[in-house]
Amino acid sequence: MRAARPLIGNLDHWPDLSTLAAAVRGGRSSAKAETEKALDAIATLNPKLNAMTSVDPADALARAAAVDRRIADGEIMPLAGVPVAIKDNIWVKGRTITQGSKLFRDFVAPEDAVAVRRLEQAGAVVVGIAATSEFAAKGQTTTPLHGATRNPWNPALTPGGSSGGPVAAVASGMVPLALGTDAGGSSRRPPAHTGLVGFKPSFGAIPYGPGFEEPFFGISCHCPIARTVSDAALAFAVLAGPDPLDPHAVPVDVREDAPTRLTIAFSPRWGLDVPVEPAVAHRMEEVVQRLRKAGLTVVDRDPTWPPGAAESGLGAIQQAGLAALHGAAWKAHPELIDPDLGAQIEAGLALSATDVAKALLLSEQVAASAARFFTDSIDAAIGPTTPCAAWPVEKLGPEAIAGVPVGPRGHAVFTPLFNHARQPAISVPCGLDPAGLPLGLQIVMPRGQDRRLLALATWIETILAEPG
């Protein structure tokens, strides 16, 4: 019989975020009580999963006490008392933030990222820091500094990366909400592997920074990771909007069109010639049938990408960025850096200026192609978040997909395109494979239509939750 729940923890450990916050605001609970619940869950579950890299109970309880004082003073907060885990590459003032790297093992953030500040303004309580692969640049969450993070559905497997810690924390019930980052799918693929919702907004919809310099600049986003679309949407509501500290921050739509009036493209491989596990392909066809039966207009349509629009062509940007930021440290002290990252740095050091320029031009061509796709009577697009389910924790990626040998990024082919497109994309749970492992459905809309995307995702989530 297939498992329907994670082996470790409990997805139902928390109510939905609006219910939790209402209980805290109404005096039926308190930020202190909810924080203590999270700390107890972390103490029980984290030794099995290694999701959290830093937890300071005294700091978390002090933050909770501040929220309770604000409630007593009459302040209304939409996330009152909600415990949240922050990925270990996002600044939280006064907390050690390492990027999963020995180079930063003693770094203390001098200020909050705007997203963290907004979460706390809304009443959320930062209870701890969650694991990332080093520099958030690997699709598997293991580091020489913190070790391997494990998948709550099967601890022999990885939750993916780089937001492996945040998803393991939420999927196991340590916390009901986490904040991750996504420059190539890091907050969509791990949620797909753990039965969660991961929402990458339009680039600039949630202000980015202050924080570390990015190896993959100009496309990375802060992302809510939650159990349901409504929880992710509630978090997005407090996170979104321009801020003077981020020159790229932009406003997003306020419309929420009825999903039944949309034309949705189904693309089983997102227009790429790559292998997909039969179980994933079969589940996607089932999803499409259910959506059509529910009255949604779904047409078969693939985007057309420029030649080379894959990891091999676009990955040079990340490799060059890593080399620019950490090449000197790798040359001086290679023992301090994950060898998998060292290989990327070496590749970056070997690139010419022309190589990097070609990759940047390809990124722009991908963005133009994605924008053009949504001008051809297409309002939204759906397809698999990943071509496979989770794989063994010790491996960078599956060695083969659908029997076809693939490289270490063969599992990551479908998500980076929409980072380069700067478009909003969300992964929602869509069922299990024959081994009982979660699969994700990726839904995409044009840039700036984040709230329309969340409305459609809510509708699809409801349809997929119904029996049949």
Side-chain angles (χ1 to χ4, degrees):
M1 181 179 295
R2 298 188 305 172
R5 293 288 179 184
L7 294 177
I8 295 177
N10 182 0
L11 270 170
D12 299 324
H13 191 59
W14 302 91
D16 63 82
L17 297 188
S18 60
T19 299
L20 191 160
V24 173
R25 290 193 303 267
R28 299 183 300 279
S29 184
S30 65
K32 178 177 181 290
E34 300 298 337
T35 299
E36 289 175 335
K37 180 179 174 182
L39 291 171
D40 288 345
I42 291 169
T44 300
L45 299 170
N46 200 52
K48 303 174 184 178
L49 297 172
N50 195 31
M52 307 295 290
T53 61
S54 173
V55 178
D56 182 340
D59 176 76
L61 290 170
R63 294 172 187 267
V67 171
D68 285 332
R69 288 194 296 271
R70 291 164 62 191
I71 292 171
D73 290 340
E75 189 172 346
I76 305 297
M77 294 171 281
L79 294 178
V82 171
V84 60
I86 306 296
K87 187 175 175 180
D88 192 18
N89 64 334
I90 302 172
W91 283 8
V92 179
K93 185 178 181 179
R95 296 302 304 268
T96 300
I97 308 295
T98 72
Q99 300 190 88
S101 175
K102 291 181 178 179
L103 296 176
F104 293 88
R105 68 190 311 162
D106 298 319
F107 177 85
V108 177
E111 57 185 317
D112 287 326
V114 172
V116 172
R117 170 164 51 83
R118 288 182 176 178
L119 286 172
E120 293 198 308
Q121 286 173 340
V125 178
V126 175
V127 296
I129 309 303
T132 177
S133 54
E134 192 162 9
F135 309 130
K138 191 166 75 168
Q140 163 214 37
T141 304
T142 62
T143 68
L145 178 60
H146 296 301
T149 298
R150 298 179 179 274
N151 192 320
W153 286 77
N154 181 342
L157 305 179
T158 179
S162 62
S163 299
V167 299
V170 176
S172 64
M174 296 184 203
V175 292
L177 177 67
L179 185 67
T181 62
D182 189 320
S186 287
S187 287
R188 282 165 287 153
R189 295 191 314 272
H193 294 317
T194 53
L196 299 176
V197 172
F199 175 47
K200 183 201 79 68
S202 297
F203 177 69
I206 297 174
Y208 206 91
F212 297 109
E213 292 180 290
E214 284 283 330
F216 222 147
F217 54 87
I219 61 173
S220 191
C221 301
H222 285 148
C223 308
I225 295 168
R227 295 156 301 157
T228 64
V229 177
S230 62
D231 281 358
L234 180 58
F236 179 70
V238 305
L239 289 167
D243 186 277
L245 291 178
D246 183 357
H248 301 293
V250 295
V252 296
D253 64 312
V254 296
R255 300 165 56 197
E256 295 185 11
D257 291 2
T260 51
R261 293 201 296 267
L262 303 177
T263 298
I264 303 168
F266 168 55
S267 182
R269 285 179 168 79
W270 291 106
L272 300 174
D273 183 17
V274 294
V276 174
E277 286 292 343
V280 174
H282 179 68
R283 185 56 188 155
M284 290 300 113
E285 293 291 346
E286 290 181 335
V287 166
V288 169
Q289 291 175 14
R290 294 187 67 173
L291 298 184
R292 286 172 173 157
K293 184 178 179 181
L296 275 68
T297 301
V298 183
V299 300
D300 295 329
R301 190 82 57 83
D302 289 328
T304 301
W305 305 109
E311 286 288 309
S312 57
L314 296 167
I317 304 172
Q318 176 169 296
Q319 294 164 357
L322 286 167
L325 292 172
H326 308 297
W330 167 252
K331 290 298 186 183
H333 299 286
E335 73 281 1
L336 296 180
I337 295 177
D338 183 343
D340 295 326
L341 271 295
Q344 292 192 54
I345 292 171
E346 287 288 353
L349 292 170
L351 292 168
S352 68
T354 301
D355 294 329
V356 178
K358 286 180 178 178
L360 290 169
L361 287 170
L362 179 59
S363 175
E364 290 301 303
Q365 292 165 0
V366 167
S369 296
R372 189 176 303 113
F373 181 59
F374 288 104
T375 64
D376 188 21
S377 303
I378 296 298
D379 300 295
I382 61 173
T385 306
T386 63
C388 60
W391 60 92
V393 70
E394 68 274 9
K395 294 183 178 294
L396 267 175
E399 296 173 350
I401 295 175
V404 178
V406 296
R409 297 287 292 178
H411 65 94
V413 289
F414 296 145
T415 51
L417 296 165
F418 301 106
N419 293 86
H420 292 274
R422 281 76 166 176
Q423 293 169 337
I426 190 169
S427 180
V428 299
C430 68
L432 308 175
D433 76 355
L437 296 174
L439 301 174
L441 177 75
Q442 182 171 223
I443 313 168
V444 184
M445 272 191 169
R447 187 178 184 185
Q449 297 186 17
D450 297 62
R451 291 188 174 92
R452 293 183 76 202
L453 174 60
L454 289 166
L456 175 60
T458 299
W459 187 261
I460 290 176
E461 179 185 56
T462 301
I463 293 170
L464 298 182
E466 295 171 353

